[in-house]
Amino acid sequence: VPIGKANIVQEGDDLTIISWGAMIKTCQDAIEKLNNKYSVELIDLRTINPYDAETIIASVKKTGRCVIVHEAIRTSGFAAELIAAINEKALLSLEAPVVRVTAPDAPYPLYKLENYYLPDVNRVLKAIEKVMSF
């Protein structure tokens, strides 16, 4: 796997989803549940330092919409850095604000509550609908 090069897991024209790690599977499951309602481009960053800004910007310019999904907390999470880059280089291409699906700003819970803490398929679907209906 080349360092700093994202993988376009699935190409699409309506919406870009950016994720990495374990959340890729969650995003794929959400896309599958859409039953082809939208054409979704799924980008697996693979590395976040360095990250592939070129692939992200090209995708967002193409689709005009973006959802970022990661396991970390919302505040100071890497999605904020990605949104800043998108705003600097693709703002005029956006048709809706970028939406983040993240863990809440709280300490990581004990095992029993882990599934409530981490982003899940339903939260990703809700974010997709929010961006697509803007």
Side-chain angles (χ1 to χ4, degrees):
V1 175
I3 301 296
K5 182 65 180 152
N7 179 38
I8 299 175
V9 177
Q10 175 178 315
E11 293 197 20
D13 296 314
D14 296 331
L15 165 74
T16 300
I17 296 179
I18 303 168
S19 193
W20 56 93
M23 290 292 103
I24 290 295
K25 174 72 168 115
T26 302
C27 293
Q28 288 174 314
D29 292 347
I31 292 167
E32 189 177 307
K33 281 199 168 206
L34 287 172
N35 293 323
N36 297 317
K37 183 175 180 181
Y38 305 116
S39 175
V40 179
E41 183 146 296
L42 176 60
I43 297 176
D44 179 357
L45 279 187
R46 299 198 284 195
T47 61
I48 61 172
N49 190 16
Y51 72 94
D52 188 353
E54 185 177 303
T55 297
I56 292 167
I57 299 307
S59 179
V60 171
K61 283 183 175 181
K62 177 175 80 171
T63 66
R65 293 179 168 85
C66 183
V67 171
I68 303 172
V69 182
H70 67 69
E71 295 173 282
I73 60 173
R74 182 179 190 84
T75 302
S76 299
F78 192 66
E81 180 66 29
L82 296 175
I83 292 169
I86 291 166
N87 285 342
E88 289 171 3
K89 298 176 182 163
L91 180 65
L92 298 178
S93 298
L94 289 175
E95 296 179 35
V98 178
V99 173
R100 294 178 281 180
V101 182
T102 66
D105 289 333
Y108 200 88
L110 297 173
Y111 174 75
K112 277 185 155 184
L113 299 175
E114 187 176 64
N115 290 335
Y116 296 105
Y117 183 83
L118 295 173
D120 62 12
V121 169
N122 289 332
R123 288 178 54 205
V124 174
L125 288 171
K126 193 173 179 183
I128 290 169
E129 290 300 334
K130 181 177 182 178
V131 168
M132 294 306 296
S133 66
F134 181 82

PDB file of all heavy atoms in Angstrom, residues 94-128:
ATOM      1  N   LEU A  94     -19.085  22.805  -3.842  1.00  0.00           N
ATOM      2  CA  LEU A  94     -20.001  22.176  -2.887  1.00  0.00           C
ATOM      3  C   LEU A  94     -21.446  22.593  -3.136  1.00  0.00           C
ATOM      4  O   LEU A  94     -21.730  23.776  -3.326  1.00  0.00           O
ATOM      5  CB  LEU A  94     -19.612  22.524  -1.446  1.00  0.00           C
ATOM      6  CG  LEU A  94     -18.345  21.888  -0.910  1.00  0.00           C
ATOM      7  CD1 LEU A  94     -18.036  22.431   0.490  1.00  0.00           C
ATOM      8  CD2 LEU A  94     -18.473  20.372  -0.873  1.00  0.00           C
ATOM      9  N   GLU A  95     -22.335  21.621  -3.088  1.00  0.00           N
ATOM     10  CA  GLU A  95     -23.769  21.873  -3.203  1.00  0.00           C
ATOM     11  C   GLU A  95     -24.457  21.745  -1.849  1.00  0.00           C
ATOM     12  O   GLU A  95     -25.651  22.022  -1.736  1.00  0.00           O
ATOM     13  CB  GLU A  95     -24.387  20.903  -4.205  1.00  0.00           C
ATOM     14  CG  GLU A  95     -23.840  21.105  -5.615  1.00  0.00           C
ATOM     15  CD  GLU A  95     -24.434  20.139  -6.613  1.00  0.00           C
ATOM     16  OE1 GLU A  95     -25.630  19.795  -6.480  1.00  0.00           O
ATOM     17  OE2 GLU A  95     -23.706  19.727  -7.518  1.00  0.00           O
ATOM     18  N   ALA A  96     -23.706  21.311  -0.838  1.00  0.00           N
ATOM     19  CA  ALA A  96     -24.220  21.153   0.528  1.00  0.00           C
ATOM     20  C   ALA A  96     -23.027  21.199   1.475  1.00  0.00           C
ATOM     21  O   ALA A  96     -21.903  20.889   1.072  1.00  0.00           O
ATOM     22  CB  ALA A  96     -24.952  19.817   0.673  1.00  0.00           C
ATOM     23  N   PRO A  97     -23.257  21.577   2.731  1.00  0.00           N
ATOM     24  CA  PRO A  97     -22.161  21.532   3.703  1.00  0.00           C
ATOM     25  C   PRO A  97     -21.672  20.098   3.898  1.00  0.00           C
ATOM     26  O   PRO A  97     -22.448  19.148   3.806  1.00  0.00           O
ATOM     27  CB  PRO A  97     -22.794  22.055   4.995  1.00  0.00           C
ATOM     28  CG  PRO A  97     -24.030  22.769   4.573  1.00  0.00           C
ATOM     29  CD  PRO A  97     -24.496  22.105   3.315  1.00  0.00           C
ATOM     30  N   VAL A  98     -20.386  19.953   4.173  1.00  0.00           N
ATOM     31  CA  VAL A  98     -19.813  18.636   4.469  1.00  0.00           C
ATOM     32  C   VAL A  98     -20.338  18.182   5.828  1.00  0.00           C
ATOM     33  O   VAL A  98     -20.409  18.965   6.772  1.00  0.00           O
ATOM     34  CB  VAL A  98     -18.272  18.691   4.484  1.00  0.00           C
ATOM     35  CG1 VAL A  98     -17.682  17.335   4.834  1.00  0.00           C
ATOM     36  CG2 VAL A  98     -17.740  19.188   3.142  1.00  0.00           C
ATOM     37  N   VAL A  99     -20.716  16.918   5.924  1.00  0.00           N
ATOM     38  CA  VAL A  99     -21.252  16.360   7.166  1.00  0.00           C
ATOM     39  C   VAL A  99     -20.267  15.334   7.722  1.00  0.00           C
ATOM     40  O   VAL A  99     -19.713  14.535   6.975  1.00  0.00           O
ATOM     41  CB  VAL A  99     -22.637  15.703   6.928  1.00  0.00           C
ATOM     42  CG1 VAL A  99     -23.119  14.969   8.168  1.00  0.00           C
ATOM     43  CG2 VAL A  99     -23.643  16.755   6.503  1.00  0.00           C
ATOM     44  N   ARG A 100     -20.075  15.381   9.052  1.00  0.00           N
ATOM     45  CA  ARG A 100     -19.199  14.423   9.734  1.00  0.00           C
ATOM     46  C   ARG A 100     -20.036  13.413  10.504  1.00  0.00           C
ATOM     47  O   ARG A 100     -21.004  13.782  11.166  1.00  0.00           O
ATOM     48  CB  ARG A 100     -18.299  15.129  10.750  1.00  0.00           C
ATOM     49  CG  ARG A 100     -17.310  16.068  10.147  1.00  0.00           C
ATOM     50  CD  ARG A 100     -16.500  16.764  11.214  1.00  0.00           C
ATOM     51  NE  ARG A 100     -17.279  17.858  11.785  1.00  0.00           N
ATOM     52  CZ  ARG A 100     -16.841  18.656  12.744  1.00  0.00           C
ATOM     53  NH1 ARG A 100     -15.655  18.485  13.278  1.00  0.00           N
ATOM     54  NH2 ARG A 100     -17.600  19.629  13.192  1.00  0.00           N
ATOM     55  N   VAL A 101     -19.626  12.158  10.447  1.00  0.00           N
ATOM     56  CA  VAL A 101     -20.198  11.102  11.278  1.00  0.00           C
ATOM     57  C   VAL A 101     -19.033  10.605  12.127  1.00  0.00           C
ATOM     58  O   VAL A 101     -18.088  10.018  11.608  1.00  0.00           O
ATOM     59  CB  VAL A 101     -20.793   9.946  10.445  1.00  0.00           C
ATOM     60  CG1 VAL A 101     -21.414   8.897  11.360  1.00  0.00           C
ATOM     61  CG2 VAL A 101     -21.808  10.469   9.441  1.00  0.00           C
ATOM     62  N   THR A 102     -19.114  10.870  13.436  1.00  0.00           N
ATOM     63  CA  THR A 102     -17.992  10.590  14.331  1.00  0.00           C
ATOM     64  C   THR A 102     -18.499  10.021  15.652  1.00  0.00           C
ATOM     65  O   THR A 102     -19.704   9.939  15.886  1.00  0.00           O
ATOM     66  CB  THR A 102     -17.221  11.883  14.650  1.00  0.00           C
ATOM     67  OG1 THR A 102     -18.062  12.753  15.417  1.00  0.00           O
ATOM     68  CG2 THR A 102     -16.769  12.595  13.386  1.00  0.00           C
ATOM     69  N   ALA A 103     -17.553   9.698  16.499  1.00  0.00           N
ATOM     70  CA  ALA A 103     -17.905   9.350  17.877  1.00  0.00           C
ATOM     71  C   ALA A 103     -18.259  10.644  18.606  1.00  0.00           C
ATOM     72  O   ALA A 103     -17.838  11.727  18.198  1.00  0.00           O
ATOM     73  CB  ALA A 103     -16.724   8.665  18.552  1.00  0.00           C
ATOM     74  N   PRO A 104     -19.019  10.548  19.679  1.00  0.00           N
ATOM     75  CA  PRO A 104     -19.341  11.757  20.446  1.00  0.00           C
ATOM     76  C   PRO A 104     -18.118  12.257  21.211  1.00  0.00           C
ATOM     77  O   PRO A 104     -17.154  11.521  21.426  1.00  0.00           O
ATOM     78  CB  PRO A 104     -20.435  11.281  21.409  1.00  0.00           C
ATOM     79  CG  PRO A 104     -20.238   9.815  21.511  1.00  0.00           C
ATOM     80  CD  PRO A 104     -19.669   9.355  20.212  1.00  0.00           C
ATOM     81  N   ASP A 105     -18.160  13.506  21.613  1.00  0.00           N
ATOM     82  CA  ASP A 105     -17.075  14.088  22.400  1.00  0.00           C
ATOM     83  C   ASP A 105     -17.166  13.598  23.844  1.00  0.00           C
ATOM     84  O   ASP A 105     -17.579  14.325  24.749  1.00  0.00           O
ATOM     85  CB  ASP A 105     -17.142  15.616  22.354  1.00  0.00           C
ATOM     86  CG  ASP A 105     -16.748  16.160  21.003  1.00  0.00           C
ATOM     87  OD1 ASP A 105     -15.978  15.493  20.292  1.00  0.00           O
ATOM     88  OD2 ASP A 105     -17.211  17.258  20.644  1.00  0.00           O
ATOM     89  N   ALA A 106     -16.781  12.364  24.024  1.00  0.00           N
ATOM     90  CA  ALA A 106     -16.841  11.729  25.348  1.00  0.00           C
ATOM     91  C   ALA A 106     -15.760  10.650  25.401  1.00  0.00           C
ATOM     92  O   ALA A 106     -15.338  10.149  24.354  1.00  0.00           O
ATOM     93  CB  ALA A 106     -18.217  11.097  25.575  1.00  0.00           C
ATOM     94  N   PRO A 107     -15.325  10.283  26.598  1.00  0.00           N
ATOM     95  CA  PRO A 107     -14.335   9.196  26.689  1.00  0.00           C
ATOM     96  C   PRO A 107     -14.888   7.901  26.099  1.00  0.00           C
ATOM     97  O   PRO A 107     -16.089   7.638  26.146  1.00  0.00           O
ATOM     98  CB  PRO A 107     -14.109   9.048  28.196  1.00  0.00           C
ATOM     99  CG  PRO A 107     -14.543  10.335  28.782  1.00  0.00           C
ATOM    100  CD  PRO A 107     -15.650  10.841  27.904  1.00  0.00           C
ATOM    101  N   TYR A 108     -13.981   7.095  25.568  1.00  0.00           N
ATOM    102  CA  TYR A 108     -14.372   5.811  25.000  1.00  0.00           C
ATOM    103  C   TYR A 108     -15.014   4.957  26.099  1.00  0.00           C
ATOM    104  O   TYR A 108     -14.452   4.815  27.173  1.00  0.00           O
ATOM    105  CB  TYR A 108     -13.140   5.103  24.420  1.00  0.00           C
ATOM    106  CG  TYR A 108     -13.486   4.050  23.416  1.00  0.00           C
ATOM    107  CD1 TYR A 108     -13.636   4.371  22.084  1.00  0.00           C
ATOM    108  CD2 TYR A 108     -13.685   2.730  23.804  1.00  0.00           C
ATOM    109  CE1 TYR A 108     -13.958   3.408  21.140  1.00  0.00           C
ATOM    110  CE2 TYR A 108     -14.011   1.754  22.870  1.00  0.00           C
ATOM    111  CZ  TYR A 108     -14.147   2.101  21.551  1.00  0.00           C
ATOM    112  OH  TYR A 108     -14.476   1.149  20.628  1.00  0.00           O
ATOM    113  N   PRO A 109     -16.193   4.388  25.836  1.00  0.00           N
ATOM    114  CA  PRO A 109     -16.909   3.664  26.888  1.00  0.00           C
ATOM    115  C   PRO A 109     -16.411   2.224  27.076  1.00  0.00           C
ATOM    116  O   PRO A 109     -15.623   1.716  26.276  1.00  0.00           O
ATOM    117  CB  PRO A 109     -18.348   3.645  26.364  1.00  0.00           C
ATOM    118  CG  PRO A 109     -18.169   3.585  24.878  1.00  0.00           C
ATOM    119  CD  PRO A 109     -16.966   4.440  24.591  1.00  0.00           C
ATOM    120  N   LEU A 110     -16.920   1.606  28.104  1.00  0.00           N
ATOM    121  CA  LEU A 110     -16.657   0.190  28.318  1.00  0.00           C
ATOM    122  C   LEU A 110     -17.293  -0.622  27.186  1.00  0.00           C
ATOM    123  O   LEU A 110     -18.184  -0.151  26.478  1.00  0.00           O
ATOM    124  CB  LEU A 110     -17.223  -0.252  29.665  1.00  0.00           C
ATOM    125  CG  LEU A 110     -16.598   0.432  30.885  1.00  0.00           C
ATOM    126  CD1 LEU A 110     -17.345   0.037  32.146  1.00  0.00           C
ATOM    127  CD2 LEU A 110     -15.128   0.096  31.000  1.00  0.00           C
ATOM    128  N   TYR A 111     -16.887  -1.857  27.060  1.00  0.00           N
ATOM    129  CA  TYR A 111     -17.294  -2.719  25.946  1.00  0.00           C
ATOM    130  C   TYR A 111     -18.803  -2.746  25.714  1.00  0.00           C
ATOM    131  O   TYR A 111     -19.260  -2.691  24.580  1.00  0.00           O
ATOM    132  CB  TYR A 111     -16.757  -4.140  26.164  1.00  0.00           C
ATOM    133  CG  TYR A 111     -17.261  -5.116  25.140  1.00  0.00           C
ATOM    134  CD1 TYR A 111     -16.747  -5.093  23.846  1.00  0.00           C
ATOM    135  CD2 TYR A 111     -18.269  -6.022  25.435  1.00  0.00           C
ATOM    136  CE1 TYR A 111     -17.211  -5.964  22.879  1.00  0.00           C
ATOM    137  CE2 TYR A 111     -18.736  -6.899  24.468  1.00  0.00           C
ATOM    138  CZ  TYR A 111     -18.204  -6.866  23.201  1.00  0.00           C
ATOM    139  OH  TYR A 111     -18.662  -7.719  22.249  1.00  0.00           O
ATOM    140  N   LYS A 112     -19.598  -2.814  26.756  1.00  0.00           N
ATOM    141  CA  LYS A 112     -21.064  -2.932  26.604  1.00  0.00           C
ATOM    142  C   LYS A 112     -21.670  -1.767  25.820  1.00  0.00           C
ATOM    143  O   LYS A 112     -22.698  -1.922  25.167  1.00  0.00           O
ATOM    144  CB  LYS A 112     -21.734  -3.007  27.976  1.00  0.00           C
ATOM    145  CG  LYS A 112     -21.752  -4.358  28.593  1.00  0.00           C
ATOM    146  CD  LYS A 112     -22.549  -4.300  29.877  1.00  0.00           C
ATOM    147  CE  LYS A 112     -23.117  -5.654  30.203  1.00  0.00           C
ATOM    148  NZ  LYS A 112     -23.966  -5.632  31.380  1.00  0.00           N
ATOM    149  N   LEU A 113     -21.062  -0.608  25.885  1.00  0.00           N
ATOM    150  CA  LEU A 113     -21.621   0.581  25.231  1.00  0.00           C
ATOM    151  C   LEU A 113     -20.900   0.963  23.934  1.00  0.00           C
ATOM    152  O   LEU A 113     -21.234   1.969  23.320  1.00  0.00           O
ATOM    153  CB  LEU A 113     -21.589   1.761  26.200  1.00  0.00           C
ATOM    154  CG  LEU A 113     -22.406   1.575  27.481  1.00  0.00           C
ATOM    155  CD1 LEU A 113     -22.198   2.752  28.420  1.00  0.00           C
ATOM    156  CD2 LEU A 113     -23.880   1.413  27.153  1.00  0.00           C
ATOM    157  N   GLU A 114     -19.937   0.155  23.536  1.00  0.00           N
ATOM    158  CA  GLU A 114     -19.137   0.469  22.356  1.00  0.00           C
ATOM    159  C   GLU A 114     -19.985   0.673  21.099  1.00  0.00           C
ATOM    160  O   GLU A 114     -19.740   1.590  20.317  1.00  0.00           O
ATOM    161  CB  GLU A 114     -18.135  -0.656  22.133  1.00  0.00           C
ATOM    162  CG  GLU A 114     -17.127  -0.383  21.055  1.00  0.00           C
ATOM    163  CD  GLU A 114     -16.118  -1.517  20.962  1.00  0.00           C
ATOM    164  OE1 GLU A 114     -16.525  -2.648  20.621  1.00  0.00           O
ATOM    165  OE2 GLU A 114     -14.941  -1.261  21.234  1.00  0.00           O
ATOM    166  N   ASN A 115     -20.996  -0.141  20.902  1.00  0.00           N
ATOM    167  CA  ASN A 115     -21.827  -0.030  19.702  1.00  0.00           C
ATOM    168  C   ASN A 115     -22.659   1.253  19.664  1.00  0.00           C
ATOM    169  O   ASN A 115     -23.066   1.689  18.593  1.00  0.00           O
ATOM    170  CB  ASN A 115     -22.735  -1.253  19.558  1.00  0.00           C
ATOM    171  CG  ASN A 115     -21.949  -2.496  19.207  1.00  0.00           C
ATOM    172  OD1 ASN A 115     -20.861  -2.419  18.642  1.00  0.00           O
ATOM    173  ND2 ASN A 115     -22.470  -3.658  19.577  1.00  0.00           N
ATOM    174  N   TYR A 116     -22.917   1.840  20.805  1.00  0.00           N
ATOM    175  CA  TYR A 116     -23.634   3.116  20.834  1.00  0.00           C
ATOM    176  C   TYR A 116     -22.701   4.282  20.558  1.00  0.00           C
ATOM    177  O   TYR A 116     -23.127   5.354  20.145  1.00  0.00           O
ATOM    178  CB  TYR A 116     -24.318   3.320  22.187  1.00  0.00           C
ATOM    179  CG  TYR A 116     -25.385   2.304  22.461  1.00  0.00           C
ATOM    180  CD1 TYR A 116     -25.178   1.265  23.355  1.00  0.00           C
ATOM    181  CD2 TYR A 116     -26.614   2.368  21.808  1.00  0.00           C
ATOM    182  CE1 TYR A 116     -26.156   0.320  23.601  1.00  0.00           C
ATOM    183  CE2 TYR A 116     -27.602   1.422  22.044  1.00  0.00           C
ATOM    184  CZ  TYR A 116     -27.359   0.411  22.947  1.00  0.00           C
ATOM    185  OH  TYR A 116     -28.330  -0.520  23.178  1.00  0.00           O
ATOM    186  N   TYR A 117     -21.437   4.078  20.820  1.00  0.00           N
ATOM    187  CA  TYR A 117     -20.428   5.127  20.706  1.00  0.00           C
ATOM    188  C   TYR A 117     -19.921   5.287  19.266  1.00  0.00           C
ATOM    189  O   TYR A 117     -19.821   6.396  18.764  1.00  0.00           O
ATOM    190  CB  TYR A 117     -19.263   4.775  21.649  1.00  0.00           C
ATOM    191  CG  TYR A 117     -18.165   5.789  21.711  1.00  0.00           C
ATOM    192  CD1 TYR A 117     -18.260   6.906  22.531  1.00  0.00           C
ATOM    193  CD2 TYR A 117     -16.991   5.621  20.970  1.00  0.00           C
ATOM    194  CE1 TYR A 117     -17.234   7.829  22.606  1.00  0.00           C
ATOM    195  CE2 TYR A 117     -15.962   6.536  21.040  1.00  0.00           C
ATOM    196  CZ  TYR A 117     -16.089   7.641  21.859  1.00  0.00           C
ATOM    197  OH  TYR A 117     -15.071   8.555  21.935  1.00  0.00           O
ATOM    198  N   LEU A 118     -19.607   4.174  18.633  1.00  0.00           N
ATOM    199  CA  LEU A 118     -19.019   4.217  17.294  1.00  0.00           C
ATOM    200  C   LEU A 118     -20.068   4.516  16.218  1.00  0.00           C
ATOM    201  O   LEU A 118     -21.231   4.144  16.359  1.00  0.00           O
ATOM    202  CB  LEU A 118     -18.343   2.880  16.983  1.00  0.00           C
ATOM    203  CG  LEU A 118     -17.146   2.530  17.857  1.00  0.00           C
ATOM    204  CD1 LEU A 118     -16.685   1.115  17.567  1.00  0.00           C
ATOM    205  CD2 LEU A 118     -16.015   3.528  17.659  1.00  0.00           C
ATOM    206  N   PRO A 119     -19.664   5.188  15.140  1.00  0.00           N
ATOM    207  CA  PRO A 119     -20.596   5.397  14.027  1.00  0.00           C
ATOM    208  C   PRO A 119     -21.107   4.059  13.502  1.00  0.00           C
ATOM    209  O   PRO A 119     -20.372   3.078  13.449  1.00  0.00           O
ATOM    210  CB  PRO A 119     -19.724   6.090  12.972  1.00  0.00           C
ATOM    211  CG  PRO A 119     -18.660   6.769  13.759  1.00  0.00           C
ATOM    212  CD  PRO A 119     -18.370   5.843  14.902  1.00  0.00           C
ATOM    213  N   ASP A 120     -22.391   4.030  13.138  1.00  0.00           N
ATOM    214  CA  ASP A 120     -22.978   2.811  12.604  1.00  0.00           C
ATOM    215  C   ASP A 120     -23.670   3.110  11.270  1.00  0.00           C
ATOM    216  O   ASP A 120     -23.714   4.258  10.817  1.00  0.00           O
ATOM    217  CB  ASP A 120     -23.935   2.163  13.605  1.00  0.00           C
ATOM    218  CG  ASP A 120     -25.128   3.033  13.959  1.00  0.00           C
ATOM    219  OD1 ASP A 120     -25.379   4.059  13.284  1.00  0.00           O
ATOM    220  OD2 ASP A 120     -25.838   2.702  14.926  1.00  0.00           O
ATOM    221  N   VAL A 121     -24.192   2.076  10.663  1.00  0.00           N
ATOM    222  CA  VAL A 121     -24.828   2.203   9.352  1.00  0.00           C
ATOM    223  C   VAL A 121     -25.956   3.232   9.377  1.00  0.00           C
ATOM    224  O   VAL A 121     -26.063   4.068   8.472  1.00  0.00           O
ATOM    225  CB  VAL A 121     -25.340   0.822   8.867  1.00  0.00           C
ATOM    226  CG1 VAL A 121     -26.230   0.963   7.646  1.00  0.00           C
ATOM    227  CG2 VAL A 121     -24.167  -0.103   8.582  1.00  0.00           C
ATOM    228  N   ASN A 122     -26.782   3.211  10.400  1.00  0.00           N
ATOM    229  CA  ASN A 122     -27.910   4.146  10.457  1.00  0.00           C
ATOM    230  C   ASN A 122     -27.464   5.599  10.541  1.00  0.00           C
ATOM    231  O   ASN A 122     -28.065   6.472   9.913  1.00  0.00           O
ATOM    232  CB  ASN A 122     -28.834   3.803  11.634  1.00  0.00           C
ATOM    233  CG  ASN A 122     -29.600   2.532  11.382  1.00  0.00           C
ATOM    234  OD1 ASN A 122     -29.880   2.173  10.248  1.00  0.00           O
ATOM    235  ND2 ASN A 122     -29.932   1.824  12.450  1.00  0.00           N
ATOM    236  N   ARG A 123     -26.409   5.855  11.282  1.00  0.00           N
ATOM    237  CA  ARG A 123     -25.899   7.229  11.372  1.00  0.00           C
ATOM    238  C   ARG A 123     -25.300   7.682  10.043  1.00  0.00           C
ATOM    239  O   ARG A 123     -25.435   8.837   9.645  1.00  0.00           O
ATOM    240  CB  ARG A 123     -24.890   7.352  12.510  1.00  0.00           C
ATOM    241  CG  ARG A 123     -25.596   7.286  13.868  1.00  0.00           C
ATOM    242  CD  ARG A 123     -24.658   7.347  15.053  1.00  0.00           C
ATOM    243  NE  ARG A 123     -23.785   8.496  15.011  1.00  0.00           N
ATOM    244  CZ  ARG A 123     -22.596   8.532  15.625  1.00  0.00           C
ATOM    245  NH1 ARG A 123     -22.168   7.498  16.311  1.00  0.00           N
ATOM    246  NH2 ARG A 123     -21.850   9.608  15.556  1.00  0.00           N
ATOM    247  N   VAL A 124     -24.646   6.771   9.341  1.00  0.00           N
ATOM    248  CA  VAL A 124     -24.092   7.100   8.019  1.00  0.00           C
ATOM    249  C   VAL A 124     -25.228   7.372   7.035  1.00  0.00           C
ATOM    250  O   VAL A 124     -25.188   8.351   6.287  1.00  0.00           O
ATOM    251  CB  VAL A 124     -23.157   5.981   7.508  1.00  0.00           C
ATOM    252  CG1 VAL A 124     -22.709   6.259   6.075  1.00  0.00           C
ATOM    253  CG2 VAL A 124     -21.951   5.820   8.427  1.00  0.00           C
ATOM    254  N   LEU A 125     -26.263   6.545   7.055  1.00  0.00           N
ATOM    255  CA  LEU A 125     -27.419   6.759   6.169  1.00  0.00           C
ATOM    256  C   LEU A 125     -28.098   8.096   6.454  1.00  0.00           C
ATOM    257  O   LEU A 125     -28.499   8.808   5.523  1.00  0.00           O
ATOM    258  CB  LEU A 125     -28.420   5.610   6.319  1.00  0.00           C
ATOM    259  CG  LEU A 125     -27.996   4.278   5.715  1.00  0.00           C
ATOM    260  CD1 LEU A 125     -28.959   3.171   6.120  1.00  0.00           C
ATOM    261  CD2 LEU A 125     -27.884   4.380   4.200  1.00  0.00           C
ATOM    262  N   LYS A 126     -28.222   8.442   7.712  1.00  0.00           N
ATOM    263  CA  LYS A 126     -28.826   9.721   8.101  1.00  0.00           C
ATOM    264  C   LYS A 126     -27.999  10.892   7.553  1.00  0.00           C
ATOM    265  O   LYS A 126     -28.551  11.876   7.048  1.00  0.00           O
ATOM    266  CB  LYS A 126     -28.924   9.787   9.625  1.00  0.00           C
ATOM    267  CG  LYS A 126     -29.780  10.879  10.161  1.00  0.00           C
ATOM    268  CD  LYS A 126     -29.922  10.706  11.672  1.00  0.00           C
ATOM    269  CE  LYS A 126     -30.759  11.798  12.261  1.00  0.00           C
ATOM    270  NZ  LYS A 126     -30.865  11.701  13.712  1.00  0.00           N
ATOM    271  N   ALA A 127     -26.676  10.788   7.628  1.00  0.00           N
ATOM    272  CA  ALA A 127     -25.795  11.833   7.102  1.00  0.00           C
ATOM    273  C   ALA A 127     -25.919  11.940   5.583  1.00  0.00           C
ATOM    274  O   ALA A 127     -25.953  13.050   5.032  1.00  0.00           O
ATOM    275  CB  ALA A 127     -24.353  11.550   7.506  1.00  0.00           C
ATOM    276  N   ILE A 128     -25.998  10.803   4.917  1.00  0.00           N
ATOM    277  CA  ILE A 128     -26.162  10.804   3.461  1.00  0.00           C
ATOM    278  C   ILE A 128     -27.453  11.524   3.081  1.00  0.00           C
ATOM    279  O   ILE A 128     -27.469  12.382   2.194  1.00  0.00           O
ATOM    280  CB  ILE A 128     -26.149   9.362   2.905  1.00  0.00           C
ATOM    281  CG1 ILE A 128     -24.749   8.761   3.025  1.00  0.00           C
ATOM    282  CG2 ILE A 128     -26.649   9.327   1.457  1.00  0.00           C
ATOM    283  CD1 ILE A 128     -24.689   7.269   2.745  1.00  0.00           C
TER     284      ILE A 128
END
